Amino acid sequence: MNWRTALLPVVRAVSEDPDAYVVVREAVTRQAAEALAAMKPDGTGNTLSTPAENSAWALGNLDGVAADVVSSLKSDRGREWQAAVLADLSRTGEGEKTAVPAFAEDAADYLVARWRGDVAAEGAEALERQAASMFGEWCDAVGVIGTAREEAAEQIERGQRTAGRGVLMDLH
């Protein structure tokens, strides 16, 4: 038995409640940020992108779950579900603003806070490219530049999209 056979239906059922989906998304986001924060900036190739690629797979799975939930609800309820998720993830639902700590102070919190700002500014698009965006923020913070970064970012973004499509196929 694998993840999709055992746990995907459970995550999908729980995600009918936008608050529950947010809890799961925040947990995966925190794990992704901690994995990036633990990376050394001198990595290349697979070493540079492996933690972000793993996060992309997990986040893409959640993207697929979210897309399935929204499509299963009547249009108004789907929009309400998505709005509730985006408000909670951006922390702008009740006027709360998340301060961005310095990267050197707390790299994981920095990455999460920067991404929350992306959600506030860009909405659902920020979720769909979350892994690549967080990887880019990490690269900016530690000074990784060049072709290896660009190639890794493209691979990470592609991986997240592919995982999301895979979940949608598995759910139907």
Side-chain angles (χ1 to χ4, degrees):
M1 187 173 292
N2 66 30
W3 140 257
R4 288 198 166 126
T5 305
L7 294 178
L8 182 59
V10 174
V11 172
R12 169 58 180 87
V14 167
S15 294
E16 287 281 332
D17 177 353
D19 293 335
Y21 177 83
V22 167
V23 168
V24 174
R25 186 81 185 212
E26 287 179 331
V28 173
T29 297
R30 171 57 58 183
Q31 287 178 330
E34 289 173 358
L36 285 168
M39 284 183 8
K40 302 293 181 226
D42 57 356
T44 59
N46 288 338
T47 305
L48 178 64
S49 62
T50 299
E53 287 175 15
N54 293 338
S55 299
W57 179 84
L59 292 164
N61 278 280
L62 292 176
D63 292 344
V65 166
D68 193 65
V69 169
V70 169
S71 72
S72 73
L73 298 171
K74 296 197 185 292
S75 61
D76 287 345
R77 286 197 56 229
R79 283 191 293 276
E80 290 169 6
W81 185 95
Q82 188 172 42
V85 166
L86 293 173
D88 282 350
L89 290 175
S90 66
R91 295 288 193 239
T92 60
E94 297 177 23
E96 181 181 336
K97 297 292 180 189
T98 303
V100 179
F103 183 83
E105 180 184 318
D106 188 329
D109 279 351
Y110 170 87
L111 294 169
V112 171
R114 293 292 298 217
W115 177 72
R116 285 186 189 283
D118 290 348
V119 175
E122 301 168 18
E125 292 175 13
L127 274 66
E128 296 167 359
R129 50 185 185 68
Q130 180 178 357
S133 176
M134 290 175 71
F135 175 74
E137 291 289 349
W138 176 83
C139 287
D140 289 346
V142 298
V144 173
I145 58 173
T147 305
R149 172 191 171 158
E150 293 167 13
E151 291 171 355
E154 289 172 10
Q155 186 171 344
I156 292 162
E157 190 168 343
R158 190 170 43 252
Q160 185 170 343
R161 280 193 312 268
T162 300
R165 285 192 301 265
V167 164
L168 284 172
M169 289 182 358
D170 288 347
L171 289 171
H172 294 279

